[in-house]
Amino acid sequence: MRVLLATVTVTTVTSTTAAAAHPATTAPSAPGQVPAEALAPVVPGRLSGADALMDALHRHGVTDVFGYPGGAILPIYDALHKAESRGWLKHVLVRHEQGGAHAADAYARATGRVGVCFGTSGPGATNLVTGIATAQMDSVPMVVITGQVPRAAIGTDAFQETDIFGITLPIVKHSWVVRDPADIGRIVAEAFLIAATGRPGPVLIDVPKDVGLEEFEYTPVEPGTAIPAGYQLPSGPAPAAIAQAIELIRQARRPLLYVGGGAISSGAHTSLIALAERFQLPVTTTLMGKGAFDERHPLAVGMLGMHGTAYANFAVTECDLLIATGARFDDRVTGRLDSFAPRARVIHIDIDAAEVGKNRLPEVPIVSDVRLALEALLQASSGESDHGHTAAWLERINRWKRHYPLVIPTPEGAIAPQEVVMALRDFAPDAFVTTDVGQHQMWAAQYLNNPPRHWISSSGLGTMGFGLPAAMGVQVAFPADQVICVAGDASILMNIQELGTLSQYDLPVKVVILNNGWQGMVRQWQESFYGERYSASEMTRGMPDFPRLAEAFGVRGVGISERSSFREQLAEALAHPGPALIDVRVRRNENCYPMVPPGASNAQMVGLPNHPELAIDTTRLCGSCGISTESAHLFCPSCGAKL
């Protein structure tokens, strides 16, 4: 007996006051026409804990709920039913708690608002854990509300009792167990504030069943008015740090903007473009940062890291100034950390002080909301330009782009997965795109150009099964927009039950499976690093007929295997007015390149054409003692001088 997820809309707050907010992205569609009095919050008075919870969520902007009812959370679902009848809330019945968590997560990523999750006690709550961890790793604001056994039964190993508060402590920003229904209004207000401010992330509220049933004199708490004791928001960027950063930018001849998900969360897209253009700074993004900077812009060098573009990885290796903007020096980005940007001074802008200096000590740390920091940099450099300082550097990067482009397979034989992604880019350039995890995710990241908040992918945790329920959440938020899930044949099976949700609500998500019959990335690693011993990665035996399975759920199923007609079939399927699953049989053994092998530096990629005339120097001379050493070293091993 289980329950699941709600999604809430509250603007992310990142300034020093709870009232200051980011510019809102396009909001989800409003509910249908209902009387104004029905949409108004309830009048304070004697309410049950569950009714008070619904009112508190209403005051924080709830419009859509993803859920699965049951057990300990039934009092809350009874109150939810009343909310639906009043017209301000829409409930979407998911098929599994994890799917609901990912839907709420993606709703938050796409809208810039807070996702709210419901889950009942025991297995319902534990099924949410993967979704909570996914949101935590990618800094997604989410409020998770779980039902719990009655207060008197807590700690007795009662039916469907688990300590979800304890289980989730390492993967939430904060958590509460509600012992008194009179605390509900305050706790909900605190939860939204904590989830949305500073570095966003998930929080948990555990509500015992009898707390939901108990009546009390309810006093509403308005959003932003409950500040937890000791909770402090980051101040604006320090003027001295901004001045130091501007001076380093002026001095740099090979600068590089390294942009992560923090730029997306803070709504820094406009300021980012302005700074890059003012100083002619090339821009590379992480997987989380896709969409923060138009990848068709002349200054864009695409994604960096393990499966990043060759020119982005060469640029980060050769740059003399790295401006890390809302990025955390993740291992899939840096490769071998001691050889990541070895010749660069570092400016690190991040709202989380714990990230600054964690993996790389910067010359200039700026602890601030990214948007506010970039605006301060623009203000401090008003009227300046690059004075041509980066012209030679940009030409060198353009040379790398010409010699090391992303590989486009020969259009013959079996359909190449890259061809499918490029066809999606042609047919649906403005679509929201969600992905599962694996080779298909990396090909999508390499070849697609996404507007801000239109790239939705599990990056830090790498959660297989994320893509389909994520697409569902985005489509609920933006019913009139095109939403495409790019999946693999292994990942899609993790949460394929959510096809039932698409069918029930006629959500026109298009699921495109790049079907190679493998756990593709696992197979590639086994081929490259494990002597071609393909242990437990082959998926053809037991694979369902995906189009027929989709039809069984009431979703249109399309199978594509012939090159001669694949673009026409794909275009027709994407134009279908309802949900559709498109199973594209692609080359079985295609690998995703370029690739930085484990333990290598970013400049040591495999899968590139050979151009020795552009090879990066492997040694350099110490300017102090003249000893030759490897170019990856930061300091001379002989005299200790900084290289």
Side-chain angles (χ1 to χ4, degrees), residues 256 284 301-318 396-397 399-407 446 593-596 602-609 611 614 616:
L256 182 67
T284 183
V301 294
M303 184 177 71
L304 80 167
M306 179 171 283
H307 289 284
T309 65
Y311 32 94
N313 284 336
F314 285 155
V316 79
T317 304
E318 287 292 285
R396 188 176 184 188
I397 290 174
R399 219 164 6 127
W400 285 329
K401 287 182 178 181
R402 292 192 298 270
H403 285 277
Y404 295 93
L406 289 170
V407 175
Q446 289 174 339
Y593 292 127
M595 180 180 182
V596 178
N602 278 15
Q604 297 171 310
M605 290 164 281
V606 296
L608 294 180
H611 287 282
L614 293 178
I616 293 175

Side-chain angles (χ1 to χ4, degrees), residues 121 538 543 559 562 597 622:
S121 64
E538 211 269 350
M543 180 187 293
E562 297 299 324
C622 173

Side-chain angles (χ1 to χ4, degrees), residues 534-614:
Y534 302 116
S535 175
S537 56
E538 211 269 350
M539 298 294 288
T540 54
R541 295 190 65 181
M543 180 187 293
D545 183 324
F546 285 112
R548 290 178 63 189
L549 181 60
E551 296 284 350
F553 277 104
V555 171
R556 182 176 181 182
V558 178
I560 300 176
S561 58
E562 297 299 324
R563 166 180 298 283
S564 59
S565 60
F566 105 84
R567 287 182 67 91
E568 291 78 7
Q569 285 183 277
L570 181 61
E572 181 184 358
L574 292 174
H576 176 64
L581 182 147
I582 306 155
D583 181 30
V584 187
R585 298 301 177 107
V586 298
R587 297 180 184 178
R588 290 215 69 205
N589 298 317
E590 185 75 19
N591 285 335
C592 185
Y593 292 127
M595 180 180 182
V596 178
S601 74
N602 278 15
Q604 297 171 310
M605 290 164 281
V606 296
L608 294 180
N610 183 29
H611 287 282
E613 74 279 7
L614 293 178

Side-chain angles (χ1 to χ4, degrees), residues 252-257 275-284 293 297-301 311 315 318-320 386-402:
R253 296 299 179 266
R254 300 189 308 278
L256 182 67
L257 268 167
L275 185 69
E277 291 182 342
R278 176 172 297 176
F279 289 103
Q280 288 297 288
L281 308 171
V283 180
T284 183
F293 192 83
H297 194 287
L299 292 171
V301 294
Y311 32 94
E318 287 292 285
C319 69
D320 64 3
D386 71 304
H387 301 296
H389 290 168
T390 66
W393 173 232
L394 293 175
E395 175 52 34
R396 188 176 184 188
I397 290 174
N398 286 332
R399 219 164 6 127
W400 285 329
K401 287 182 178 181
R402 292 192 298 270

Side-chain angles (χ1 to χ4, degrees), residues 622 624-625 634-643:
C622 173
S624 178
C625 70
L634 298 175
F635 299 92
C636 176
S638 177
C639 70
K642 187 171 182 179
L643 298 173

